């Protein structure tokens, strides 16, 4: 990509590549090419290991950087570093070389330049060096570009790739730029001698994660792993899953596809779990937008980060884009002043614009504990198709959640611990003893309760979980009921304010035994 003959004014042009070692960029009538760099023997301690007739070729990164160092300081030199992301030595060696060159007066006065192609800026360029560097992000590739690249690499490596596999690779690498696609394909070939989809997906998740703003993962849960919340399940199935699964029919009805859903309610009530299960039910990738990393410590970069996140998420869509604690940038940031305030506003409006975009392919699922803090513009009809409240589970739901975490519920992937009672007997015990004693517990707390019961059984050297383990776990589990009563009241009030579907609210009232 960077082996272009654009560096005419430079006295020396070097390229370093993990596979090829150090080379010189040369121009010829046929175009630019790279010739291996030969270090003459006897001048200094050569660290390279490929011996060639004209000298020693420098293969190791350390040796190459050391060699080029003199050139950068003594003449106008350009160094391109590429394909180096998987080298064990690169972090420390490269970071310290870049840091030293960034402030070296000779390098600066000679006008020497170092280009680094990487998918992981933060681990090579430290905060200090970054102030002297220009970071240019490369756009994700188009499907045609990825197809052409996949075909070319398959031809070069002489591996047979069926049209179906090629199409799958194009989909699996969506969201990556061409440099990344190339390294993912080469790595897969290196490991398995083929383009293996599982390896490609795994490498892609790693690459995307390194951006620090998005994480892609396969959904882990289905609706069977969610205890209770039948009204929410029915609603989501009817208005989101069924529509997405039969989008052709929806189009015929000119029915807009759901694009944004907001889950609100107290912590631990299963909002993230529902988002994950939704992705699994509609068989779409689950992309997590890491909100805490959007606001960058480098002033002026948050807007850029948000832009890249949106661009990348769109390229990987259709997908469920999960935005936990959406309130982090769901308010205008009136409190912040100066440039930090400007930055907050910029991120806010970028997100808002994305949310309101009619042709958006990403389905945004946001969660918040404090919907009342969200800016009004967010809550306006059209931004989120549905706003769904999550209350504390009622009696039936609590029993169901306990059953999920004890592996008693059909279809759940949760493991069943050894139990001293028959299933029916245990269920009756849970219903009569545990459910009444766990009023206002969240799903997360019920899961924790099961863990504590298991821990207790383990600790006392038992072979299986017994009633006493549950009773002790309940007895010692502290929940602030006074404070919780207030939270429940607040959530009901928010449900009244934000949720506009009365049929859903009626079903919810009936299931949860509350008055909305
Ligand atoms: P927060 O607002 O703190 O992000 P949340 O509402 O998103 O919380 P989750 O993270 O989904 O809550 O819940 C934490 C864990 O609690 C889940 O991973 C799951 O194991 C358990 N849990 C919560 N609700 C349920 C449920 N209805 N059925 C089964 N497990 C549940």
């Amino acid at each position: 990509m960077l082996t272009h003959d654009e560096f005419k004014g430079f006295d020396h042009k070097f390229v370093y590549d993990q596979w090829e070692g150090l080379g010189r960029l040369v121009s010829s009538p046929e175009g630019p090419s790279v010739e291996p760099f030969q270090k003459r023997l006897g001048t200094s301690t050569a660290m390279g290991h490929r011996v060639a007739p004209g000298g020693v070729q420098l293969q190791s990164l350390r040796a190459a950087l050391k060699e080029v160092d003199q050139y950068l300081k003594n003449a106008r030199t350009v160094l391109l570093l590429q394909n180096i992301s998987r080298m064990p030595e690169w972090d420390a060696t490269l970071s310290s070389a870049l840091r030293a060159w960034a402030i070296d007066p000779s390098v600066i006065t000679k006008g020497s330049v170092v280009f680094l192609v990487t998918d992981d800026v933060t681990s090579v360029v430290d905060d200090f060096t970054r102030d002297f560097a220009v970071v240019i992000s490369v756009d994700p590739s188009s499907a045609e570009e990825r197809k052409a690249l996949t075909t070319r690499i398959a031809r070069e490596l002489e591996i047979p790739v069926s049209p179906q596999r090629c199409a799958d690779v194009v989909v699996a690498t969506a969201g990556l730029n061409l440099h990344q696609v190339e390294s993912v394909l080469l790595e897969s070939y290196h490991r398995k001698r083929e383009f293996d989809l599982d390896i490609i997906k795994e490498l892609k998740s790693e690459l995307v994660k390194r951006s620090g703003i998005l994480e892609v993962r396969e959904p882990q849960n289905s609706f069977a792993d969610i205890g209770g919340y039948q009204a929410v399940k029915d609603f989501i199935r009817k208005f989101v899953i069924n529509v997405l699964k039969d989008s052709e029919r929806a189009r015929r009805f000119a029915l807009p596809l759901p694009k944004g859903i907001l889950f609100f309610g107290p912590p631990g009530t299963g909002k993230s779990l529902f988002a994950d299960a939704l992705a699994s039910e509609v068989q779409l990738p689950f992309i997590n937008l890491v909100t805490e990393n959007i606001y960058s410590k480098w002033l002026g970069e948050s807007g850029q980060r948000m832009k890249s996140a949106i661009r990348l998420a769109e390229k990987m869509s259709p997908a469920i884009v999960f935005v936990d604690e959406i309130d982090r940038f769901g308010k205008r940031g009136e409190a912040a002043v100066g440039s930090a305030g400007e930055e907050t506003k910029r991120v806010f409006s970028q997100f808002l614009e994305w949310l309101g975009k009619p042709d958006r392919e990403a389905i945004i699922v946001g969660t918040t504990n404090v919907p009342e803090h969200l800016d009004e513009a967010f809550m306006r009809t059209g931004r989120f198709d549905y706003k769904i409240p999550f209350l504390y589970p009622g009696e039936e739901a609590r029993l169901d959640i306990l059953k999920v975490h004890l592996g008693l519920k059909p279809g759940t992937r949760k493991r069943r611990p050894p139990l001293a009672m028959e299933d029916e007997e245990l269920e009756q015990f849970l219903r009569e003893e545990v459910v009444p004693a766990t009023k206002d517990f969240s799903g997360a707390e019920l899961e924790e309760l099961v863990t504590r019961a298991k821990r207790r059984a383990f600790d006392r050297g038992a072979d299986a979980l017994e009633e006493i383990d549950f009773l002790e776990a309940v007895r010692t589990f502290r929940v602030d009921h006074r404070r919780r009563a207030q939270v429940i009241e607040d959530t009901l009030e928010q449900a009244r304010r934000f949720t506009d579907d009365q049929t859903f609210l009626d079903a919810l009232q009936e299931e949860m035994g509350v008055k909305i």
Side-chain angles (χ1 to χ4, degrees), residues 16 47 59-67 87 89 93:
Y16 179 81
M47 293 170 79
Q59 191 75 20
S60 100
L61 177 66
R62 192 184 300 270
L65 296 180
K66 197 169 167 208
E67 181 67 26
M87 298 180 76
E89 57 178 324
T93 314

Side-chain angles (χ1 to χ4, degrees), residues 221 225-229 265-274 322 324-325 367-369 390 393 397 400-401 404-405 414 442-445 447:
N221 299 280
D225 297 301
I226 303 179
Y229 291 81
T269 45
K271 299 181 293 295
S272 321
L273 181 64
F274 256 94
F322 178 63
D324 202 10
E325 295 185 45
T367 75
T368 178
N369 302 143
F390 278 69
D400 216 32
I401 295 172
V404 166
H405 290 287
K414 299 272 184 291
S442 68
E445 285 162 342
E447 179 184 13

Side-chain angles (χ1 to χ4, degrees), residues 223-244:
F223 273 5
D225 297 301
I226 303 179
Y229 291 81
Q230 198 54 47
V232 180
K233 281 182 194 165
D234 290 345
F235 186 79
I236 291 185
R237 194 174 291 286
K238 199 160 156 187
F239 293 107
V240 181
I241 298 175
N242 291 351
V243 180
L244 288 174

Side-chain angles (χ1 to χ4, degrees), residues 33-50:
S33 61
V34 180
E35 276 180 2
F37 173 80
Q38 310 287 346
K39 181 178 171 63
R40 261 174 275 132
L41 286 170
T43 48
S44 67
T45 48
M47 293 170 79
H49 53 259
R50 259 209 239 159

